[in-house]
Amino acid sequence: MKNIIVGQSGGPTAVINASLYGVITEGKRYPDLVGCVYGMHNGIEGFLKDDYENLSETLSDSDLELLKHTPAAYLGSCRYKLPEDLSSPFYPTLFEKLEALNIGYFLYIGGNDSMDTVSKLSRYADKHNSSIRFIGIPKTIDNDLVLTDHTPGYGSAAKYVASTVREICLDASVYQTPAVTIVEIMGRHAGWLTAASVLARKHELDNPLLIYLPESDFDLQEFSRDLTNALHKQPNVVVCVSEGISDAGGRFICEYNTDATALDTFGHKMLAGCGKVLENYVRSTFGVKARSVELNVSQRCSGMIASLTDIEEAAHAGAIGVSNALNGATGMMVSMKRSSRSPYSLEYVLEDVNEICNKEKKFPLSWITNHGTDISPEFQAYAIPLIQGEPARVMDHGLPVYLHR
């Protein structure tokens, strides 16, 4: 009998805790194989400080049901990059801690950088004949992991973006005075989330009239022409942009305001402000009322606009990770494969995590239309099934009840 340990890493989502729920509940289904399920506080970083808990004991059945519908990361997260050199003393130290807890199964819920962690740990285990099995559970609102149809977290974030942009468009339409609203949406190099803004349209030629993704080079002169044409169609124009839009030279538009951009621990530029850059450009160039709205963390932490489909798929991905680890799998990530488009159906398979980490799934160029300003109906057919369903929420005095440590 061995124990499971699970951690959460990277940016949180509305459903990352549903995957944690899936891991815990599936682990409890095998009392003859699994002693308990430990949870790392703040991922690998916390575990190295011996900061963890026995989730099998601390969470009741009612707690688990709340956990399933709680946004953010219940265990806490981290952005901790493991050494590239597998001969680093970091690895024997970590494995000694795992062995001291009688860990047989290590599950990490996260995105690209988290899959890099699973890759390194599974390769070290293989090299040193460790019996610990390592499985990655996908998570990212960016939807940019390769070898999976989509990622848990994306459906809920897409639903939030589409719903919020629809409300912004309605608000923008109340006056006839010419005005431009820029909505900045998360997405460093992949435009999946910004593309979801197209779902906000209530009819053809409705706002948002212009949508720009990182996959297409952004040019201010072309933007000026696009906006001129849009303002001829209606006085109030809503424009949706990814935070990571950049020019043909690779310079992020948000960097037009500054000479330097801060980096995170993985060396990624911390992007913010392209909406404000465009707001100032529109105001000075067109002389019309302009404002920018940065959706920011609300895209990933809104449990009130979560997709039930996303919640259930996230929970199932966690459970599938446990069952496959118990059956001997390691160095793999749970992948979601669309087995049918109409009606929508899904199957879960395993993919080699080494073929996933440090790669990005870009938004298909064939789905970007009108010279980089719009999104095709093919994307809508892809995305709409992912945002379906409303979860039953526990409320108290008109506010949602969530689980927290």
Side-chain angles (χ1 to χ4, degrees), residues 47-282:
F47 182 68
L48 289 170
K49 301 173 184 177
D50 299 315
D51 190 5
Y52 56 85
E53 67 175 287
N54 185 341
L55 298 170
S56 299
E57 293 181 351
T58 59
L59 297 182
S60 65
D61 290 344
S62 59
D63 287 336
L64 288 172
E65 288 305 313
L66 275 181
L67 176 68
K68 186 178 181 180
H69 299 282
T70 295
Y74 172 79
L75 290 173
S77 188
C78 70
R79 295 188 184 277
Y80 189 89
K81 187 174 179 62
L82 272 60
E84 297 293 336
D85 184 1
L86 295 184
S87 64
S88 165
F90 164 88
Y91 291 99
T93 298
L94 176 66
F95 273 72
E96 286 171 9
K97 290 179 177 294
L98 293 173
E99 289 162 3
L101 285 178
N102 193 31
I103 300 300
Y105 317 100
F106 181 110
L107 291 97
Y108 218 37
I109 310 169
N112 206 316
D113 296 328
S114 303
M115 295 309 116
D116 179 71
T117 295
V118 175
S119 168
K120 289 171 179 173
L121 294 179
S122 61
R123 285 187 283 122
Y124 180 88
D126 180 65
K127 183 177 180 180
H128 293 271
N129 298 315
S130 170
S131 62
I132 302 174
R133 299 164 190 169
F134 297 86
I135 298 290
I137 310 299
K139 172 271 342 169
T140 174
I141 66 170
D142 293 322
N143 200 35
D144 60 352
L145 289 181
V146 301
L147 300 184
T148 184
D149 179 81
H150 57 279
T151 53
Y154 174 67
S156 293
K159 185 169 186 169
Y160 177 87
V161 166
S163 301
T164 303
V165 170
R166 175 169 286 188
E167 293 168 347
I168 290 172
C169 292
L170 287 169
D171 182 89
S173 69
V174 301
Y175 299 112
Q176 285 302 298
T177 304
V180 176
T181 301
I182 311 291
V183 183
E184 180 181 335
I185 299 167
M186 285 182 175
R188 180 183 304 275
H189 296 129
W192 292 96
L193 199 52
T194 303
S197 65
V198 75
L199 304 176
R201 290 180 185 154
K202 302 174 292 299
H203 53 76
E204 191 175 356
L205 302 180
D206 188 21
N207 270 315
L209 288 178
L210 300 172
I211 301 172
Y212 297 94
L213 310 188
E215 284 80 0
S216 296
D217 294 336
F218 187 89
D219 181 88
L220 280 176
Q221 290 186 339
E222 291 182 4
F223 172 64
S224 181
R225 290 192 292 269
D226 296 338
L227 191 54
T228 298
N229 292 332
L231 284 167
H232 285 156
K233 295 176 182 178
Q234 59 177 291
N236 299 289
V237 174
V238 176
V239 181
C240 292
V241 298
S242 293
E243 63 182 354
I245 55 172
S246 60
D247 59 27
R251 185 184 181 192
F252 290 111
I253 301 306
C254 66
E255 294 181 291
Y256 283 25
N257 263 351
T258 180
D259 294 328
T261 304
L263 303 179
D264 67 14
T265 54
F266 283 84
H268 305 318
K269 289 184 177 180
M270 299 171 67
L271 307 181
C274 72
K276 183 60 68 175
V277 170
L278 296 181
E279 173 193 337
N280 293 332
Y281 175 80
V282 170

Side-chain angles (χ1 to χ4, degrees), residues 253-325:
I253 301 306
C254 66
E255 294 181 291
Y256 283 25
N257 263 351
T258 180
D259 294 328
T261 304
L263 303 179
D264 67 14
T265 54
F266 283 84
H268 305 318
K269 289 184 177 180
M270 299 171 67
L271 307 181
C274 72
K276 183 60 68 175
V277 170
L278 296 181
E279 173 193 337
N280 293 332
Y281 175 80
V282 170
R283 185 180 295 111
S284 62
T285 303
F286 289 82
V288 301
K289 179 181 178 181
R291 60 185 172 186
S292 58
V293 180
E294 185 182 350
L295 298 190
N296 211 299
V297 297
S298 298
Q299 299 157 92
R300 70 187 193 193
C301 70
S302 177
M304 289 299 288
I305 312 184
S307 155
L308 180 59
T309 295
D310 197 21
I311 291 171
E312 295 298 341
E313 290 182 351
H316 201 51
I320 290 291
V322 170
S323 61
N324 278 279

Side-chain angles (χ1 to χ4, degrees), residues 347-366:
E347 62 179 313
Y348 298 80
V349 299
L350 295 183
E351 297 285 357
D352 185 347
V353 74
N354 298 298
E355 299 299 320
I356 295 170
C357 63
N358 304 313
K359 298 178 182 179
E360 275 184 319
K361 180 178 69 178
K362 298 294 187 72
F363 190 84
L365 293 178
S366 61

